[in-house]
Amino acid sequence: MNNRDIYNQIADIEREIAMLPSGSITKKKIKGKEYFYHRVSRDGKRVDNYVSFEDVTALKDMIDKRRTLEKRLKELKQLVPKEKQPGRQNYNFKTTVRIGNQLEAQIALVGDYKKRECISLLRDYVFGPRRDKVLIIYGLRRTGKTTMIRQILSELPDEEFMKAAFIQVTTRDTLADVDADLRLLEEEGYKYVFIDEVTLMEDFVEGAALFSDIYASSGMKIVLSGTDSLGFAFTKEEQLYDRCILLHTTFIPYREFEDVLGIQGIDEYICYGGTMSLGGINYNAETPFSDSKHAEEYIDTAIARNIQHSLKAYQYGRHFRLLLDLYERGELTNVINRVVENINHSFTKDVIEKTFKSHDIAVTAANLLRDRKNPINIKEHMDIDSITAGIMKMLDILNKEEQSIDVDADHMLQIKEYLSMLDLVMEIDLESLPEVNKKGIVTIITQPGMRYAQAEAIVENMLLDPEFLELSAKERRRILDRLLSEIRGRMMEDIILLETKLACPDKKVFKLQFPVGEFDMVVYDPKELCCEIYEVKYSTEAVAEQYRHLVDEEKCAMTAHRYGDIRGKYVIYRGEAMSCGEVKYLKVEDYLKFL
């Protein structure tokens, strides 16, 4: 192993250690009942924080993992010549600071990676004129924040690169430590400072103005990134108001999924899209959304604990608002997890209910039973109504586990507000004609792989119900495949709505419902007083039935009266581009790539 490989491993391990808790778990017996505490040392003082019984095992595993990594880190550092130890070799830094050769070795990791489109904003800041502001790279885990920093460092000319520094913050560091290192770097003429995982400092949010008011205002380019994205949102509104530029990384459109990761196809994006963790032929193995278990772990660590940490760190928790009681009872992360699951559960339930309006799958299942060589009494055992009733019953009770925590409407509303601030949840308007006052919203999860993993688990669990075990494995598979196809179709529709809305900020993008039927998407231009109408079909074949609403004279007349001339009628599907009279068919991947 050469020195560069060692530096790379050291950088990765230090980053992983920074995300894991230190300390130990202690147990106390009070009035015959056992209580667990997380013991840590802060500023030389011992601090014990209560840990609920449900969280003890997970916390212990994380502490044990940290200790294992610290042991490995110590071994690796002993392999590096003393004069080339990463950070602290020439200066008395208080935090982990990389400069020169050590920094060069660290950025070599991303030499072959393609770059996300949003790096242009980072590039403009780093190479542009002095702006007296800091730039914040803001997004959920595994959306390319640290990779982007390494990539922009690799673009610096050699002379400028020697004036760049990378600070890796850990939970042991304080704002005073980082301030001391920044003063030292400034004295030595460093112009570019990238501070990763800055939100791990407990006093970051309260003292964030230091970076803009002291260092950026003196000409230093300061780039901040961190896992607790909500903390950045809070600082932008107060401590860094009008003194920061936000670069959002959470939302990864299909175009980048294909161009950056090299993975093609709307189905792959539906199943695995949402993070930058995928690559090469192993893209669907051990990724955040490869199954419901990994998706739930991601929701817990990247979202639920993200929100709780940010709320706890911000001005003594005043942003907890209505959630304070849940936090004090140790139930907040569970409730946040439940809210995300409920959003996806409601989506899945809605898709299946709409599918069953025509009894389509039930008819299929009953026909399968009738076609058996030894037919059974359908009426007695498994008729159409019983299959449908069984599924509808399961939809009402299919939550992963019954929890003792009730999510009331106020808690739900506030958590959704924070999910929106994290760019995880976005909404699409739902309009109606001729009842113009009848409006609604469609809630979309911006990481499709997360939604699909949970929806798939719900459907698979549903088919384990005793009523469905009467069917053969092949018959259950046919029902499962059809249900998952319906879910992918609805998700494709949501993806198109979301990406079109984000790509057309000067236009209004919405679904339009009629008493019978709907347009899956309308793109309305209020300046030109015109619109385009769309149907979205999860199909590879073009048939006239797909665009019957688009050519319905009454629907088109109502739409034109309300939203102006109809400039185009389109069906977006999985087949090749073509035309059927006035209706144009668009291939979904091409449509999303050229938005």
Side-chain angles (χ1 to χ4, degrees):
M1 186 187 302
N2 59 39
N3 284 347
R4 172 164 291 190
D5 291 334
I6 295 172
Y7 292 144
N8 290 342
Q9 286 194 37
I10 288 174
D12 287 344
I13 290 175
E14 285 183 335
R15 176 175 172 77
E16 192 170 359
I17 288 174
M19 300 298 298
L20 294 168
S22 59
S24 60
I25 295 176
T26 62
K27 182 170 63 175
K28 299 178 183 178
K29 184 170 277 192
I30 302 174
K31 294 182 179 181
K33 189 174 181 180
E34 291 183 339
Y35 294 87
F36 295 88
Y37 296 86
H38 180 203
R39 176 171 292 175
V40 294
S41 178
R42 290 178 185 158
D43 299 325
K45 297 180 181 179
R46 192 179 76 184
V47 178
D48 288 335
N49 296 312
Y50 171 73
V51 180
S52 66
F53 178 78
E54 293 79 9
D55 292 336
V56 169
T57 301
L59 178 60
K60 182 180 183 302
D61 289 344
M62 288 190 286
I63 291 173
D64 290 344
K65 184 176 182 180
R66 180 187 178 106
R67 289 173 179 168
T68 300
L69 289 172
E70 286 173 336
K71 182 180 178 181
R72 175 58 179 159
L73 180 63
K74 185 177 180 180
E75 294 170 352
L76 286 171
K77 286 187 174 182
Q78 291 175 347
L79 299 177
V80 181
K82 294 295 182 182
E83 69 274 13
K84 292 187 178 181
Q85 284 283 346
R88 299 190 174 127
Q89 77 265 23
N90 295 319
Y91 305 103
N92 188 27
F93 290 128
K94 295 180 179 296
T95 64
T96 302
V97 180
R98 286 191 174 78
I99 54 178
N101 294 334
Q102 290 75 43
L103 184 56
E104 184 178 6
Q106 185 174 352
I107 66 174
L109 285 167
V110 299
D112 296 328
Y113 292 2
K114 290 189 177 181
K115 295 169 183 171
R116 291 198 58 185
E117 295 171 4
C118 54
I119 198 174
S120 61
L121 183 62
L122 177 58
R123 187 180 291 119
D124 291 344
Y125 173 78
V126 171
F127 295 104
R130 172 176 160 179
R131 303 180 69 173
D132 297 343
K133 294 183 178 182
V134 301
L135 184 137
I136 294 173
I137 303 180
Y138 165 93
L140 294 179
R141 285 177 53 209
R142 302 192 182 187
T143 55
K145 299 184 296 296
T146 302
T147 296
M148 203 175 299
I149 288 176
R150 292 173 175 175
Q151 288 175 326
I152 207 69
L153 279 165
S154 70
E155 293 185 13
L156 287 169
D158 292 343
E159 184 178 346
E160 296 299 302
F161 181 81
M162 298 310 295
K163 301 174 184 177
F166 180 92
I167 300 178
Q168 179 69 63
V169 174
T170 70
T171 54
R172 297 176 181 176
D173 297 323
T174 65
L175 194 62
D177 295 332
V178 175
D179 182 28
D181 289 345
L182 284 172
R183 284 200 304 270
L184 183 54
L185 289 168
E186 186 178 39
E187 291 169 2
E188 295 297 324
Y190 284 82
K191 294 169 53 179
Y192 312 95
V193 181
F194 301 81
I195 309 176
D196 196 20
E197 297 301 348
V198 69
T199 53
L200 291 177
M201 295 186 294
E202 289 199 353
D203 51 355
F204 160 69
V205 178
E206 297 306 314
L210 166 81
F211 299 107
S212 60
D213 294 358
I214 304 299
Y215 296 103
S217 64
S218 65
M220 188 177 279
K221 298 291 180 73
I222 303 286
V223 176
L224 309 175
S225 73
T227 300
D228 290 345
S229 306
L230 194 60
F232 284 137
F234 292 153
T235 60
K236 180 183 182 295
E237 295 304 317
E238 297 188 24
Q239 282 78 5
L240 289 176
Y241 180 73
D242 201 35
R243 289 170 289 178
C244 70
I245 302 164
L246 284 182
L247 191 165
H248 296 249
T249 64
T250 295
F251 176 61
I252 302 168
Y254 173 80
R255 180 178 60 254
E256 286 192 283
F257 182 80
E258 180 173 316
D259 292 345
V260 179
L261 297 175
I263 303 167
Q264 299 180 348
I266 189 65
D267 281 343
E268 302 301 320
Y269 182 65
I270 288 169
C271 294
Y272 307 112
T275 70
M276 301 302 291
S277 300
L278 319 182
I281 60 173
N282 295 317
Y283 66 87
N284 59 355
E286 295 300 315
T287 67
F289 309 135
S290 57
D291 54 43
S292 62
K293 179 177 180 292
H294 286 86
E296 286 154 15
E297 290 173 354
Y298 183 87
I299 293 168
D300 184 61
T301 57
I303 299 168
R305 297 185 187 278
N306 178 330
I307 293 175
Q308 176 163 299
H309 182 275
S310 297
L311 294 175
K312 180 182 176 183
Y314 191 78
Q315 292 189 0
Y316 309 103
R318 73 178 177 86
H319 269 265
F320 275 120
R321 290 154 47 198
L322 299 173
L323 304 180
L324 183 59
D325 60 324
L326 294 176
Y327 172 72
E328 290 177 340
R329 298 201 306 266
E331 297 174 348
L332 180 56
T333 56
N334 287 338
V335 173
I336 295 170
N337 276 296
R338 180 72 176 272
V339 169
V340 176
E341 289 173 5
N342 282 349
I343 291 172
N344 289 328
H345 182 273
S346 296
F347 162 83
T348 308
K349 183 176 178 181
D350 181 61
V351 172
I352 298 175
E353 283 178 340
K354 287 185 177 179
T355 302
F356 270 79
K357 278 185 177 180
S358 64
H359 284 30
D360 188 28
I361 296 177
V363 170
T364 300
N367 285 338
L368 284 169
L369 287 169
R370 290 190 181 100
D371 291 341
R372 286 175 172 170
K373 290 182 179 179
N374 299 310
I376 66 173
N377 188 326
I378 302 297
K379 199 164 190 177
E380 182 178 338
H381 295 289
M382 185 74 71
D383 62 11
I384 295 173
D385 291 335
S386 68
I387 297 174
T388 305
I391 288 185
M392 302 313 289
K393 178 185 70 175
M394 290 302 296
L395 285 169
D396 288 330
I397 64 173
L398 264 177
N399 284 314
K400 288 176 57 70
E401 288 181 342
E402 283 194 14
Q403 297 186 32
S404 59
I405 307 166
D406 292 326
V407 184
D408 64 35
D410 291 334
H411 290 157
M412 177 81 75
L413 190 64
Q414 186 177 341
I415 290 171
K416 280 188 174 181
E417 176 188 337
Y418 290 149
L419 294 175
S420 179
M421 292 173 70
L422 291 174
D423 295 332
L424 180 70
V425 169
M426 296 189 188
E427 294 179 342
I428 299 292
D429 290 333
L430 181 62
E431 301 199 358
S432 300
L433 288 177
E435 299 178 74
V436 295
N437 293 324
K438 182 180 177 182
K439 296 182 181 293
I441 58 170
V442 178
T443 301
I444 297 177
I445 297 288
T446 61
Q447 294 185 313
M450 178 194 299
R451 167 162 280 184
Y452 187 77
Q454 291 198 324
E456 184 178 40
I458 289 169
V459 173
E460 288 177 344
N461 287 336
M462 199 172 66
L463 292 181
L464 293 177
D465 183 82
E467 293 187 53
F468 286 95
L469 293 179
E470 294 289 332
L471 295 166
S472 70
K474 185 179 293 186
E475 291 160 353
R476 292 198 304 274
R477 170 57 64 180
R478 285 187 61 179
I479 297 176
L480 174 64
D481 290 345
R482 176 59 193 278
L483 287 172
L484 292 179
S485 177
E486 293 290 337
I487 288 169
R488 289 194 295 270
R490 171 69 178 274
M491 287 187 64
M492 187 174 99
E493 184 180 313
D494 287 353
I495 289 165
I496 290 167
L497 280 162
L498 176 61
E499 296 205 22
T500 304
K501 178 179 179 177
L502 294 175
C504 305
D506 57 336
K507 297 178 181 178
K508 189 173 181 181
V509 178
F510 54 92
K511 288 175 67 76
L512 182 58
Q513 291 186 325
F514 301 94
V516 177
E518 65 181 14
F519 293 157
D520 291 329
M521 182 170 71
V522 176
V523 181
Y524 168 52
D525 188 335
K527 293 182 180 178
E528 298 293 329
L529 293 179
C530 64
C531 66
E532 297 173 340
I533 56 179
Y534 295 80
E535 287 286 346
V536 179
K537 301 299 178 184
Y538 187 73
S539 172
T540 56
E541 298 180 1
V543 295
E545 180 73 8
Q546 295 166 340
Y547 57 82
R548 67 188 187 281
H549 296 311
L550 297 179
V551 296
D552 185 301
E553 293 183 0
E554 184 179 2
K555 291 182 176 67
C556 289
M558 284 191 287
T559 303
H561 178 76
R562 179 88 178 154
Y563 304 107
D565 294 340
I566 298 174
R567 297 282 178 87
K569 300 179 180 181
Y570 305 93
V571 174
I572 301 176
Y573 76 138
R574 294 188 298 142
E576 298 300 323
M578 57 171 290
S579 295
C580 289
E582 62 179 326
V583 178
K584 293 183 179 179
Y585 274 75
L586 307 175
K587 185 176 182 179
V588 58
E589 290 87 356
D590 292 342
Y591 175 83
L592 293 172
K593 281 194 294 184
F594 294 110
L595 271 176

